[in-house]
Amino acid sequence: MNNKVQSPEQASSASGTSAAGGRGAKARIASLMGPAFVAAIAYVDPGNVAANLSAGATYGYLLLWVLVASNLMAMVVQYLSAKYGLVTGQSLTAGVAAHFGGVGAGEPGEQRAPKKPNRTGRLLYWGQAEIVAAATDIAEIIGGATALHLLFGTPMLLGGVIVGVVSLGLLLFQGGRSQRTFEGVIVAFLVVITVGFLAGLFVTGLSIGEMAGGIIPRFQGAHTVVLAASMLGATVMPHAVYLHSGLVRDRNYDICDDGALRHHLRATRFDVFGALLLAGTVNIGMLCLAAEALPGIPGTDSIEGAHAAVENALGPVVGALFAVGLLASGLASSSVGCYAGDLVMRDLLRIRVPMLARRAITIIPALIVIASGVEPTWALVLSQVVLSIGIPFALVPLVKMTSSPAHMGIWANTAVVRRVAWTICALIIALNVALVALIATGQAA
């Protein structure tokens, strides 16, 4: 797909031509939804579980505002990513590659505007994106392995291998005619995740007054800043920003004019709002569950300890559902993360690595972490901190390119959207600067 940006006059004409079919087009909105729900899996991965449980069990509802703010930011960010893919017909990483020159968007051999190559810049950008992908995989593999250990007593290392193999199997549905099937499988996993993580709330209930207090932005010491950065990294995830535009591109939408594009953008808004509302509800539910059922209980700073506490407090059925939700989260997010990693390498290096080889390579860091005996939950939280640091590298190009008429034509961000998007970037970067400063001074331990 390669959409052509038109002039306002052409857009007006196209819009009028397609007006007669407007009612029929509205009826097809549901059929256009799906990519946002795949990207939303990144927002309910095992890293979210670790960060949200740690925050809720240790500080109650104190950091609830972080999840609310992060989810609102995520809705803006994911819409811009999908919008970029729809308007330009390319992924965000392909656009970044074209910016560095020498390697650009489109298929190999396609004609591109000449530009002096900046190979070093492109490789450095690819390097940070790969670090983000590795941190993502660590969270997903460890989370899935922990779930298998909780459910069946599977050794962690073997569990990590199983999660890697199953996630590779899910990727067989990726691309081409199987793209819709892949989306359907991921949505099914999302349903399982939702049930698994929210089941306990039917037993514990919610403290509405404390939730209202948790909406007020504040910190309570250096550790809460680390947890906030972890929660932010687990919510607004860099690989999800890269991925969404690629999912839209790989969907091969039939967009013949600006009237059709306007319709697709409208469907995308529904897609993003529905997917992120669901993911945000799951995240908030996890923090509330920890705040209600786990405060003051020893060992709840780990997923295993939290599972044991949930099982003891709420019964074996809720404990089993929690573990099943964690397993579904690990399996689905691992396959989606591998998809994102393949997208990054394909667009920035113009290299296609067989998915089996890529899966084998990216699983190694996670298995090393597991074999080293590092406490799984803390490894998950730290992986989310790495993701948080990587967010600006995805957000700044996204906002810059979606705000550029040269890239987006009449679909470039409005002044209001630009201000909101740059404000989101500034807030995230400020939190990460504070995080790095705390780590450098040893206050984040």
Side-chain angles (χ1 to χ4, degrees):
M1 183 180 75
N2 189 15
N3 304 326
K4 294 182 179 180
V5 177
Q6 300 180 359
S7 68
E9 291 78 10
Q10 290 173 312
S12 177
S13 175
S15 178
T17 303
S18 61
R23 292 183 180 179
K26 290 180 180 179
R28 293 187 291 111
I29 284 181
S31 69
L32 301 176
M33 298 173 71
F37 284 84
V38 176
I41 284 291
Y43 294 82
V44 289
D45 78 344
N48 292 82
V49 180
N52 296 333
L53 289 180
S54 295
T58 308
Y59 298 101
Y61 291 94
L62 177 73
L63 296 177
L64 179 60
W65 66 272
V66 177
L67 289 180
V68 174
S70 297
N71 207 62
L72 292 175
M73 292 179 186
M75 288 182 179
V76 176
V77 168
Q78 294 303 140
Y79 174 69
L80 291 182
S81 177
K83 176 183 173 182
Y84 182 82
L86 280 170
V87 174
T88 67
Q90 65 182 35
S91 69
L92 176 63
T93 44
V96 171
H99 170 77
F100 284 117
V103 176
E107 294 299 320
E110 185 176 335
Q111 294 296 319
R112 295 181 293 274
K115 183 175 182 177
K116 184 178 180 180
N118 182 355
R119 186 171 182 271
T120 301
R122 178 166 50 83
L123 290 177
L124 287 174
Y125 191 90
W126 167 77
Q128 65 81 28
E130 283 292 346
I131 291 173
V132 164
T136 301
D137 227 25
I138 288 173
E140 292 153 353
I141 297 296
I142 290 178
T146 301
L148 287 173
H149 179 70
L150 294 174
L151 287 168
F152 309 110
T154 308
M156 288 289 291
L157 194 59
L158 175 60
V161 174
I162 292 173
V163 171
V165 171
V166 174
S167 65
L168 177 63
L170 293 176
L171 286 168
L172 295 177
F173 296 109
Q174 173 203 346
R177 295 180 178 178
S178 298
Q179 185 72 17
R180 300 287 181 96
T181 305
F182 177 72
E183 292 173 5
V185 171
I186 294 300
V187 169
F189 272 106
L190 185 57
V191 172
V192 174
I193 292 166
T194 303
V195 173
F197 288 139
L198 298 187
L201 289 177
F202 289 98
V203 180
T204 64
L206 294 170
S207 300
I208 303 301
E210 293 186 40
M211 288 181 67
I215 299 297
I216 302 172
R218 63 196 189 279
F219 294 106
Q220 188 176 305
H223 189 247
T224 60
V225 177
V226 176
L227 273 178
S230 177
M231 294 161 71
L232 180 67
T235 306
V236 186
M237 301 187 76
H239 79 284
V241 179
Y242 300 134
L243 175 66
H244 203 159
S245 57
L247 287 168
V248 170
R249 177 191 65 184
D250 294 345
R251 252 295 190 109
N252 292 318
Y253 289 114
D254 182 19
I255 301 178
C256 56
D257 56 42
D258 279 347
L261 180 54
R262 183 176 291 105
H263 175 69
H264 279 70
L265 288 171
R266 184 186 179 196
T268 295
R269 286 192 288 272
F270 282 106
D271 196 26
V272 170
F273 179 78
L276 271 298
L277 180 63
L278 180 59
T281 300
V282 173
N283 282 322
I284 290 173
M286 280 190 280
L287 184 142
C288 293
L289 178 65
E292 290 290 337
L294 308 181
I297 300 177
T300 53
D301 56 345
S302 70
I303 289 180
E304 289 189 9
H307 172 264
V310 167
E311 193 170 55
N312 291 335
L314 307 177
V317 174
V318 175
L321 287 172
F322 179 89
V324 169
L326 181 63
L327 178 60
S329 172
L331 292 174
S333 57
S334 183
S335 63
V336 170
C338 195
Y339 191 144
D342 177 64
L343 174 79
V344 167
M345 179 172 284
R346 185 196 336 162
D347 290 341
L348 288 170
L349 298 187
R350 305 294 286 171
I351 295 175
R352 281 187 175 272
V353 175
M355 197 62 75
L356 178 61
R358 178 161 185 93
R359 174 77 282 179
I361 293 171
T362 56
I363 198 177
I364 291 174
L367 296 181
I368 290 175
V369 171
I370 292 174
S372 68
V374 174
E375 203 286 307
T377 302
W378 189 236
L380 286 173
V381 172
L382 288 180
S383 72
Q384 303 312 299
V385 173
V386 173
L387 294 180
S388 187
I389 294 173
I391 291 171
F393 294 97
L395 287 191
V396 172
L398 174 67
V399 177
K400 185 176 180 180
M401 287 193 284
T402 55
S403 298
S404 168
H407 286 90
M408 306 290 287
I410 64 171
W411 306 104
N413 297 335
T414 64
V416 172
V417 173
R418 283 199 304 273
R419 293 189 189 101
V420 170
W422 284 121
T423 299
I424 290 173
C425 286
L427 290 172
I428 293 173
I429 292 172
L431 181 58
N432 288 318
V433 169
L435 172 65
V436 172
L438 290 171
I439 293 175
T441 57
Q443 299 180 57

